Amino acid sequence: MAFCRASNYIGTMHDFHYRQGRLFCEGADVESLALRHGTPLYVYSRRTIENHFTRLDRALAPLDHTICYAVKANSNLAILTTLARLKAGFDIVSGGELYRVVRAGGDPARCVFAGVGKTEEEIRYALRVGIHCFNVESASELDRIHRTAVAMRKKAPIALRVNPDVEAHTHAKITTGTYENKFGIAYEEITGMYERATRLPALWLRGVQMHIGSQITTVAPFVKAVRKMLPLARALRDRHGIEFFSIGGGIGIVYRPALESGNHRWWNATGAIRPCAAGRAALPLTIDLYARALIPLLKPLGMRILLEPGRFIVGNAGILVTRVEFLKQTGRKHFVIVDAAMNDLVRPAFYDSYHQIVPVRRNHRAQITNRKSDVVGPICESGDYFAKDRPLESVREGDFLALMSAGAYGFAMASNYNTRPRPAEILVSGKSARMVRRRETPADLVRGETR
Ligand code: LLP
């Protein structure tokens, strides 16, 4: 059984586990994958992705609902195809993401298009393929969509994105639902904006939308925002006949799983072995709780409910495998220098985020030492780190390590900084492992440039 697999807690259920000291993704040995495909390497579990989608879908069964996977979290075609087969909808934020969904066999008519700066070209493309809806974020955008639709002799389906001004208590860079943020239209202006939209004949008013932030780990902000939105949604339904209310994404996952077994010493921030229960207490949000809190509020509305989860679906379904290049002791610090870097996984540098780091092959005799290490990449910036002052088991040069919970906003945010080719991506299903994106080459990186 995977560590914390049995847990009912959000995002902790996944298919990475040890067998005789070797890390497996489902039935595939991670070290063999690293040796065959090289590192850094992203490895995803298809079963975990499917499980997360299905669990959320089932929990919301009492509601007429559509789960629109937020493509920005991980846009690999194979992952989009996996979700398209489950009849997922998609939340997209660019023409590029729409192109990916179409290429992956997803249904454009199940796509919602978000973002504060949609270009005319993107709007034209979306109207041409026939998306479900534009989530509109300003008066100027409303006009642009209308003008484009008139020129194409089409009716543009729209929902207005409401900024409910509710604090999500998450990282400042990923909170979106307060008036400090650039997102959405102020709650107080929404009624007037719908009135204005009704006077634009090429618009089709289909819904209303909100999204308050990402990595939200308690149910309270969701409840607060939905409660605030309910009278508005009801009024818009009665006055304009809108069909859906999208409650956005943002369901948080566990990045610091509690330690499951007394026999195994998982590496964690403190080096202490904590029972699973402690982790549960620390993260009160579960899918059951989310569903139990929201269904009674939303059901009486009698509208279709859309959701836009990204991280919840893929976050714990992926790891980044890296190799220890060098160990280095400076005057004050011990560094574990690995071959992955901030260009491959930028979340620690960007958000100071925590990713559990575990050995791909466990040495049963190894102890967590009292020495704390910084796990760093080779890029010439001090921000290029994956962990700071982390107590680790003793590692040797050449060992493989896994950065856990890297499936969301991992590869999707990777760059070619320092002219570093982006990693290959592997999708595991049972015992089979398929390369779903090959590693880039230096030639890929200069393609399109001229001397
Ligand atoms: N819907 C909208 C309108 C969004 O802006 C987002 C995320 C989502 C849905 C999906 O949110 P999720 O369910 O994944 O939390 N790069 C950051 C996260 C940025 C999220 C941006 N918007 C990170 O690595 O934590």
Side-chain angles (χ1 to χ4, degrees):
M1 179 127 325
F3 49 90
C4 279
R5 170 129 191 240
S7 164
N8 195 25
Y9 283 73
I10 284 190
T12 51
M13 184 160 155
H14 61 68
D15 289 276
F16 295 93
H17 57 278
Y18 284 105
R19 274 190 213 159
Q20 274 133 24
R22 301 173 74 86
L23 185 66
F24 273 69
C25 172
E26 300 191 23
D29 176 39
V30 171
E31 187 175 71
S32 311
L33 295 175
L35 290 169
R36 187 171 338 134
H37 300 284
T39 51
L41 184 71
Y42 275 99
V43 179
Y44 309 121
S45 155
R46 195 171 88 184
R47 188 162 61 201
T48 307
I49 296 169
E50 291 171 342
N51 270 341
H52 285 163
F53 182 90
T54 316
R55 274 169 64 211
L56 183 58
D57 202 32
R58 286 203 190 123
L60 297 169
L63 297 174
D64 174 12
H65 70 275
T66 305
I67 300 175
C68 298
Y69 166 67
V71 173
K72 64 168 81 70
N74 188 322
S75 57
N76 184 284
L77 290 183
I79 286 175
L80 300 183
T81 301
T82 300
L83 290 162
R85 286 199 185 119
L86 295 172
K87 300 270 174 288
F90 296 93
D91 165 42
I92 54 165
V93 289
S94 69
E97 286 191 352
L98 179 54
Y99 174 77
R100 281 181 174 276
V101 170
V102 172
R103 282 288 298 267
D107 183 359
R110 293 168 81 78
C111 283
V112 292
F113 194 161
V116 295
K118 302 175 191 79
T119 66
E120 265 182 43
E121 195 184 344
E122 288 175 320
I123 295 166
R124 268 199 301 274
Y125 177 40
L127 285 172
R128 203 164 56 240
V129 299
I131 62 163
H132 182 72
C133 198
F134 293 96
N135 291 336
V136 179
E137 308 225 14
S138 65
S140 303
E141 185 193 334
L142 199 67
D143 291 341
R144 177 177 282 184
I145 292 174
H146 183 252
R147 271 199 316 275
T148 314
V150 169
M152 291 175 74
R153 295 203 173 80
K154 294 212 180 240
K155 249 190 153 95
I158 62 140
L160 296 191
R161 174 171 178 176
V162 182
N163 185 331
D165 200 21
V166 166
E167 177 52 62
H169 301 295
T170 182
H171 190 283
K173 284 192 184 165
I174 53 176
T175 188
T176 54
T178 76
Y179 288 174
E180 297 296 309
N181 312 122
K182 67 181 173 184
F183 301 99
I185 299 162
Y187 186 89
E188 297 75 19
E189 291 168 27
I190 285 289
T191 311
M193 195 80 83
Y194 272 95
E195 291 303 328
R196 181 187 162 142
T198 52
R199 293 193 291 274
L200 301 174
L203 298 183
W204 172 21
L205 278 56
R206 291 198 82 172
V208 63
Q209 194 261 359
M210 69 164 199
H211 171 79
I212 54 172
S214 196
Q215 184 55 14
I216 300 169
T217 53
T218 61
V219 82
F222 293 111
V223 169
K224 196 169 174 196
V226 165
R227 280 228 168 95
K228 185 160 181 191
M229 288 283 292
L230 280 176
L232 183 62
R234 220 175 277 123
L236 294 170
R237 176 200 64 194
D238 294 346
R239 173 138 178 80
H240 301 291
I242 62 167
E243 320 144 34
F244 74 82
F245 171 23
S246 171
I247 60 172
I251 303 168
I253 63 165
V254 174
Y255 281 98
R256 295 179 191 236
L259 305 164
E260 194 164 61
S261 159
N263 299 326
H264 292 158
R265 308 188 104 208
W266 307 112
W267 301 358
N268 74 352
T270 61
I273 294 170
R274 292 178 298 142
C276 236
R280 288 176 185 189
L283 189 86
L285 183 60
T286 68
I287 277 304
D288 289 344
L289 205 61
Y290 180 80
R292 268 213 310 275
L294 296 184
I295 289 171
L297 296 177
L298 295 168
K299 181 91 180 152
L301 201 56
M303 291 169 75
R304 193 149 45 84
I305 301 303
L306 266 52
L307 295 94
E308 303 166 354
R311 191 188 315 265
F312 170 71
I313 306 285
V314 291
N316 282 321
I319 60 173
L320 176 60
V321 186
T322 185
R323 197 174 61 151
V324 177
E325 294 291 343
F326 301 115
L327 301 176
K328 175 172 173 175
Q329 182 73 48
T330 64
R332 284 205 199 116
K333 286 211 136 192
H334 183 254
F335 292 97
V336 176
I337 303 171
V338 297
D339 67 355
M342 65 190 284
N343 74 296
D344 304 302
L345 177 67
V346 78
R347 301 193 69 257
F350 236 40
Y351 315 111
D352 213 10
S353 63
Y354 180 94
H355 287 266
Q356 194 188 15
I357 302 177
V358 302
V360 164
R361 203 193 309 182
R362 298 199 65 248
N363 176 354
H364 283 271
R365 283 181 301 277
Q367 298 288 314
I368 296 176
T369 60
N370 288 329
R371 183 178 58 191
K372 293 178 175 170
S373 303
D374 282 15
V375 180
V376 302
I379 283 182
C380 313
E381 293 211 26
S382 307
D384 183 26
Y385 68 90
F386 294 118
K388 283 203 187 272
D389 296 323
R390 187 88 59 98
L392 301 173
E393 281 180 35
S394 51
V395 277
R396 290 160 309 182
E397 294 181 354
D399 285 356
F400 291 116
L401 301 175
L403 295 153
M404 305 303 289
S405 312
Y409 308 107
F411 189 95
M413 294 179 80
S415 76
N416 293 120
Y417 187 39
N418 279 206
T419 306
R420 287 170 52 87
R422 286 176 298 174
E425 294 175 285
I426 307 292
L427 183 62
V428 171
S429 179
K431 283 192 176 147
S432 87
R434 200 157 58 88
M435 186 164 67
V436 292
R437 190 182 218 275
R438 67 164 172 78
R439 183 177 305 283
E440 284 175 333
T441 63
D444 289 333
L445 270 49
V446 296
R447 186 160 301 136
E449 295 181 25
T450 45
R451 283 202 283 166

